[in-house]
Amino acid sequence: MTAFPGLRQLLSSSRPVWWASVLLSLGIGGLFYLAAHKTIEYDAGERFLHQAQNAQYNINSRINAYTDVLRGTASFFHAAEHVDRASFHRYVDGLNITRQFPALDNINYAEYVTGTERDAFEHGLRQRPADAALGYPATTAISTPEARPEYWVLTMIEPLAAFREKIGRDIGYRPAVARALAQGRDSGGLSASGMQIDSVHQPLGAGLALRLPVYRKNLPLDTLAARRHAYIGSVGIGFSVPRLMQAALEQMQVGDARLVLSDSGDGQDGGHRPPLQLFDSKPGSAFPRPNELFSVVLPIDFNNRHWSAHFSAPKTSWYSRFDASLPWLAMASGFTGALLFFLLFHTMASSRMRAVKMAKEMTRELRNSQAKLQQSHHKLRRLAAHADQIKELERKRIAREIHDDLGQNLLVLRIDVDLLSTRTRTRHPRLHARAQRMLSQIDSSIKSVRHIINDLRPTVLDLGLNAAVEWQIAQFRARSGIVCELIDYETEIRVDDHCATAFFRVLQESLSNILQHAHASLVRVELRQADGMLSMTINDNGVGVRDASRNKAGSFGLVGIEERISLLGGTCSITGSANAGTTVAVTVPVGAHAARTTLMGMVDLGI
């Protein structure tokens, strides 16, 4: 009160103009509140959408993995002369589905039997000693008593203990399943009826099946009649929808997220069938009001069936404590700022002396605010530098763990398979061919692992900045086809890992911008270290950079380059004009120069 004499008059005066100023300040504070609330809600919604899309990707990836298991099983039948229950048991046991594919319930084989073949088939179902040792029941008849023109009888299933009662069951007794099986037989592709699996081991609707036809070896399959003639049955997998969905939900940051999975059919019903709910992570829970939820519906690819994943979560779950209080702080700031403005106007109009006093007070507060703002700016820069360093360290750690763990395991596996291929080259040509295909698949996996490691943090950085720059330029040439020249004066550049990483990221970001936006045909990269300064220049003959592009909302590539170099105590220059190319030049001190620059920066930051 003593600092602002006009405030007492504002509260005691009965003139309407003062109360109007209070109401107007409240209105401005309300606008600040709405702006901050909308901004926070938008950011939280984007985080929710990103997490939902990650979950969608995980679901699709797992379905593709299970489809690959099914294709591998079908290939096993096609490659073998004869598959009995013992060999089928060994094959499935080798897959270790309990650990490697946790949502997968079983892998099975259903033999195709026509109505005229039923008696002969049932007579051949007599149990053999080897089957009894595996635990197969002494089934002598198909479980379906009524006569039908076609049967698909389950004769093999693993793991057997949990699904023993299904042996001898005709899975085609339901019309929708029989239609899907016939469609797969005629097309030679994957088939899925969308019908829930009826099993005593899981609740209704918890399991679904996917099947692939099996044909006799060495028979043509180019026509529909040929495929029907060669058809002998189908292999299938049964998987748990809840386990599949829960595995995807566990990777979301918020535990209150809800996932409802629905199946709208395969389009053959004309789109008139109501969606069938396959999964609900929170069954029986009531949905909050729509304005209190983040929600999105994303498609799931399951063998041409129209699956929809409805993700939803309360908005409050995505707000931090600071997010919840920020709109109120913005409202208070807006109200206070507007009220101070009116108070300042009143004080300056009252008397010259009061105006001088108020001006001095505001000057002092402004200086304090500027000092705090500058200090806050330095803290934000330090925080950004720390976050960037943590990110690079985490990338390095993850890349090293992938290389040391997964890479070594793949290498050991390749050595073993190569040894198997060498030993079976003359005596077992089919096993040798199978081993060769496994070698190709392992080589492809090793290549993918190397690609992932290089995306995280190229190991070539450990060899020095020169090697890293040469490697990145070679990758850019191979990926884009653009001529890229390197001028490094054949000098060995020795800098710390932090500086080398920063220069590598600057080069990486610059080449990425050239590839995406510059439309250039020639790029020159010059790397030089002289007189305690390390410099790098990247120029192209493209369309050039424009000011509008540099200041575009949501574009942080060039800003990130400038900030990286600034944190190293260096300078960054980005120049260009329309159709005259762009030049990015960065220079940082190294050695003794870097130490002096770092010390001066710490003094400037008040450290």
Side-chain angles (χ1 to χ4, degrees):
M1 291 293 183
T2 57
F4 300 98
L7 185 57
R8 185 180 293 108
Q9 296 184 13
L10 174 63
L11 297 176
S12 61
S13 175
S14 59
R15 288 177 292 180
V17 64
W18 298 114
W19 295 112
S21 66
V22 174
L23 293 176
L24 184 58
S25 299
L26 287 173
I28 294 175
L31 292 177
F32 275 59
Y33 177 90
L34 290 176
H37 177 73
K38 290 296 183 183
T39 301
I40 293 173
E41 184 177 4
Y42 175 78
D43 292 340
E46 288 296 311
R47 293 196 301 272
F48 165 77
L49 178 60
H50 178 70
Q51 292 292 320
Q53 289 173 341
N54 283 344
Q56 175 200 25
Y57 173 78
N58 290 332
I59 294 172
N60 284 329
S61 298
R62 291 174 186 272
I63 291 176
N64 290 336
Y66 298 159
T67 304
D68 291 340
V69 171
L70 182 60
R71 294 186 185 278
T73 306
S75 299
F76 172 67
F77 273 83
H78 292 154
E81 290 293 340
H82 173 68
V83 178
D84 56 12
R85 289 171 170 174
S87 61
F88 184 73
H89 170 76
R90 289 192 299 271
Y91 174 79
V92 178
D93 187 61
L95 293 177
N96 193 12
I97 61 176
T98 304
R99 183 178 182 88
Q100 302 297 333
F101 309 97
L104 204 62
D105 285 332
N106 63 75
I107 303 177
N108 57 77
Y109 171 72
E111 187 170 344
Y112 175 68
V113 180
T114 62
T116 58
E117 298 171 345
R118 175 169 179 168
D119 293 338
F121 174 78
E122 291 179 340
H123 183 266
L125 282 178
R126 294 178 180 177
Q127 189 182 43
R128 294 182 293 273
D131 297 340
L134 293 173
Y136 278 89
T139 304
T140 59
I142 299 175
S143 61
T144 305
E146 64 272 9
R148 298 209 325 273
E150 294 177 313
Y151 304 89
W152 283 267
V153 185
L154 283 175
T155 58
M156 289 183 280
I157 189 167
E158 293 291 341
L160 179 62
F163 299 95
R164 190 170 180 269
E165 78 280 357
K166 290 184 176 291
I167 296 299
R169 178 176 296 185
D170 174 22
I171 63 175
Y173 76 94
R174 292 188 289 186
V177 178
R179 185 169 60 252
L181 289 167
Q183 181 181 359
R185 173 198 62 195
D186 295 343
S187 64
L190 293 168
S191 62
S193 66
M195 301 289 292
Q196 293 92 349
I197 298 176
D198 51 343
S199 174
V200 298
H201 303 284
Q202 56 187 355
L204 181 61
L208 290 176
L210 191 64
R211 308 201 67 83
L212 195 64
V214 177
Y215 302 98
R216 292 186 181 90
K217 294 182 59 176
N218 303 323
L219 289 181
L221 303 174
D222 50 348
T223 64
L224 175 61
R227 287 192 290 272
R228 289 184 175 180
H229 175 69
Y231 183 68
I232 60 174
S234 71
V235 292
I237 58 172
F239 61 92
S240 171
V241 176
R243 293 202 299 272
L244 177 64
M245 298 300 115
Q246 289 293 349
L249 280 177
E250 287 174 357
Q251 301 184 14
M252 296 191 73
Q253 295 177 352
V254 175
D256 290 341
R258 182 175 186 177
L259 170 58
V260 178
L261 183 67
S262 302
D263 182 4
S264 300
D266 54 5
Q268 296 183 2
D269 55 1
H272 301 298
R273 184 175 70 86
L276 175 64
Q277 181 174 304
L278 300 176
F279 173 76
D280 188 351
S281 60
K282 294 183 178 180
S285 301
F287 283 96
R289 289 180 295 180
N291 59 347
E292 298 177 355
L293 281 176
F294 289 128
S295 63
V296 64
V297 178
L298 300 176
I300 302 296
D301 183 17
F302 181 69
N303 191 37
N304 299 322
R305 298 194 68 83
H306 302 157
W307 278 15
S308 299
H310 181 205
F311 295 88
S312 62
K315 293 181 179 179
T316 54
S317 301
W318 296 84
Y319 296 157
S320 64
R321 293 182 179 178
F322 178 75
D323 291 340
S325 59
L326 183 59
W328 295 102
L329 293 175
M331 180 179 180
S333 300
F335 173 76
T336 304
L339 194 60
L340 286 176
F341 174 78
F342 286 112
L343 180 60
L344 177 63
F345 178 79
H346 169 73
T347 304
M348 294 180 65
S350 298
S351 65
R352 187 174 182 277
M353 184 180 298
R354 192 174 297 166
V356 173
K357 184 179 179 180
M358 181 63 70
K360 292 180 180 179
E361 184 68 25
M362 289 189 62
T363 301
R364 184 167 56 253
E365 291 185 359
L366 181 60
R367 288 175 180 174
N368 292 335
S369 299
Q370 288 177 343
K372 292 179 180 179
L373 182 62
Q374 186 177 8
Q375 185 179 9
S376 175
H377 175 68
H378 289 321
K379 289 182 179 179
L380 287 175
R381 290 185 60 189
R382 290 169 55 196
L383 178 61
H386 179 69
D388 186 68
Q389 184 179 7
I390 292 298
K391 182 177 69 175
E392 291 293 342
L393 290 175
E394 187 66 13
R395 284 187 172 191
K396 185 176 181 180
R397 182 187 67 80
I398 295 174
R400 184 180 292 112
E401 288 186 359
I402 293 176
H403 177 271
D404 294 344
D405 190 0
L406 183 58
Q408 290 183 6
N409 290 340
L410 286 174
L411 181 59
V412 171
L413 181 60
R414 193 192 188 286
I415 293 174
D416 291 342
V417 175
D418 187 42
L419 182 61
L420 176 63
S421 174
T422 302
R423 292 181 175 180
T424 58
R425 179 171 301 172
T426 56
R427 297 183 179 180
H428 304 282
R430 292 181 179 174
L431 186 57
H432 174 70
R434 187 69 176 269
Q436 287 296 318
R437 289 195 296 271
M438 290 180 65
L439 279 175
S440 300
Q441 187 65 29
I442 293 172
D443 291 338
S444 177
S445 299
I446 293 175
K447 184 177 180 181
S448 299
V449 169
R450 289 175 179 170
H451 181 70
I452 292 172
I453 293 175
N454 288 331
D455 284 345
L456 288 170
R457 184 184 187 275
T459 55
V460 73
L461 268 173
D462 297 331
L463 303 179
L465 183 58
N466 297 78
V469 169
E470 291 178 1
W471 177 83
Q472 181 62 33
I473 288 177
Q475 292 291 314
F476 175 76
R477 291 194 193 109
R479 185 171 64 252
S480 65
I482 300 175
V483 178
C484 186
E485 301 176 353
L486 172 62
I487 305 172
D488 60 358
Y489 301 98
E490 298 183 357
T491 58
E492 181 69 21
I493 297 175
R494 298 183 179 273
V495 293
D496 58 77
D497 184 70
H498 180 56
C499 180
T501 302
F503 265 67
F504 179 79
R505 295 302 183 193
V506 168
L507 175 62
Q508 197 175 45
E509 180 66 28
S510 301
L511 294 179
S512 177
N513 289 337
I514 291 172
L515 179 61
Q516 296 178 22
H517 310 294
H519 305 292
S521 59
L522 176 64
V523 180
R524 287 190 176 91
V525 179
E526 181 178 356
L527 187 65
R528 172 184 294 182
Q529 182 178 0
D531 300 328
M533 303 296 290
L534 176 62
S535 61
M536 182 171 63
T537 304
I538 307 158
N539 59 68
D540 62 78
N541 62 348
V543 298
V545 65
R546 298 176 176 83
D547 292 338
S549 300
R550 296 186 61 176
N551 300 323
K552 183 170 63 176
S555 178
F556 300 104
L558 300 181
V559 175
I561 292 176
E562 294 172 344
E563 190 64 22
R564 285 180 185 271
I565 300 304
S566 176
L567 292 172
L568 293 174
T571 58
C572 176
S573 172
I574 302 175
T575 59
S577 57
N579 300 320
T582 303
T583 300
V584 178
V586 295
T587 304
V588 298
V590 294
H593 289 76
R596 288 196 298 271
T597 303
T598 302
L599 180 60
M600 294 176 62
M602 294 175 64
V603 172
D604 291 339
L605 294 175
I607 302 176

